[in-house]
Amino acid sequence: TEIAGWMWGVLYKDDILNKLGIGRFLHELTNDLESLLSHPEKRFLAYSGHDSTLVPLLCVLGIYDDVWPPYASHLTLEFATKNNLCVKSESNNNNTEDNGTKTGKLYVRAVYNHESRVMLINNNLDVWCPYELFQSRLMEMSITPEKYK
């Protein structure tokens, strides 16, 4: 499984191949997130997949470590405004006084198998990634069903 984990990492860390592999799901996910965020009464989305679905998604988010996902692996994406974060940020890379607490700016945290992971996308270095960076990466990697054909 060490070789398989590394091999899939090589394959899906290539954005062009990954876009073909997971892009249609990312298109669906971005649409569902837009709907969820525009309807405050909705609070939960759930998807089910396999390890072969999880690896490309982890690669898109920059958190795949070339280790094949163990049995029953899971990824949770948590959304919060900076002033409502459920935990204090594990790193502080922004030295501004406000740091988003007054603006209610939206952030996303990836929790992979019960461990918070820094999404290494668009120069993000914090476990709480600004939603704009997260959304930009998903949009960059998504593909419509029509374009896929």
Side-chain angles (χ1 to χ4, degrees), residues 1 8 13 20 23 27 30-31 36-38 63 70 78 81 88 111 126-128 130 132 136 142:
T1 60
W8 277 62
K13 286 179 184 173
L20 291 171
H27 177 73
T30 55
N31 287 340
L36 181 76
L37 295 173
S38 64
I63 58 178
E78 300 174 344
T81 55
K88 185 178 179 187
V111 181
D126 200 310
V127 294
W128 286 101
E132 295 84 22
S136 171
S142 70

Side-chain angles (χ1 to χ4, degrees), residues 35-56:
S35 176
L36 181 76
L37 295 173
S38 64
H39 296 92
E41 70 277 3
K42 294 182 181 179
R43 302 189 55 105
F44 183 79
L45 288 174
Y47 298 94
S48 179
H50 295 274
D51 45 9
S52 58
T53 308
L54 191 55
V55 170

Side-chain angles (χ1 to χ4, degrees), residues 14 35-37 39 46 52 85 117-118 125 127 137 146 148:
D14 179 292
S35 176
L36 181 76
L37 295 173
H39 296 92
S52 58
L85 294 180
R117 297 283 185 102
V118 174
L125 298 174
V127 294
R137 179 65 175 159
E146 296 76 33
Y148 183 80

Side-chain angles (χ1 to χ4, degrees), residues 18-136:
N18 201 358
K19 189 172 190 173
L20 291 171
I22 197 80
R24 290 178 296 165
F25 170 70
L26 295 177
H27 177 73
E28 179 181 332
L29 177 62
T30 55
N31 287 340
D32 290 349
L33 287 174
E34 295 274 327
S35 176
L36 181 76
L37 295 173
S38 64
H39 296 92
E41 70 277 3
K42 294 182 181 179
R43 302 189 55 105
F44 183 79
L45 288 174
Y47 298 94
S48 179
H50 295 274
D51 45 9
S52 58
T53 308
L54 191 55
V55 170
L57 183 56
L58 295 173
C59 288
V60 164
L61 299 176
I63 58 178
Y64 186 60
D65 56 6
D66 291 336
V67 175
W68 193 256
Y71 183 73
S73 287
H74 57 282
L75 174 68
T76 303
L77 298 171
E78 300 174 344
F79 296 81
T81 55
K82 190 69 172 190
N83 52 341
N84 289 325
L85 294 180
C86 36
V87 295
K88 185 178 179 187
S89 179
E90 293 173 18
S91 66
N92 186 3
N93 297 308
N94 187 348
N95 293 327
T96 62
E97 281 185 36
D98 178 25
N99 203 21
T101 56
K102 294 178 184 170
T103 61
K105 187 175 176 182
L106 191 60
Y107 289 80
V108 184
R109 177 172 70 168
V111 181
Y112 175 55
N113 293 334
H114 305 287
E115 180 183 317
S116 293
R117 297 283 185 102
V118 174
M119 291 183 273
L120 299 174
I121 52 177
N122 301 322
N123 299 317
N124 176 61
L125 298 174
D126 200 310
V127 294
W128 286 101
C129 177
Y131 180 73
E132 295 84 22
L133 295 180
F134 171 80
Q135 181 186 39
S136 171

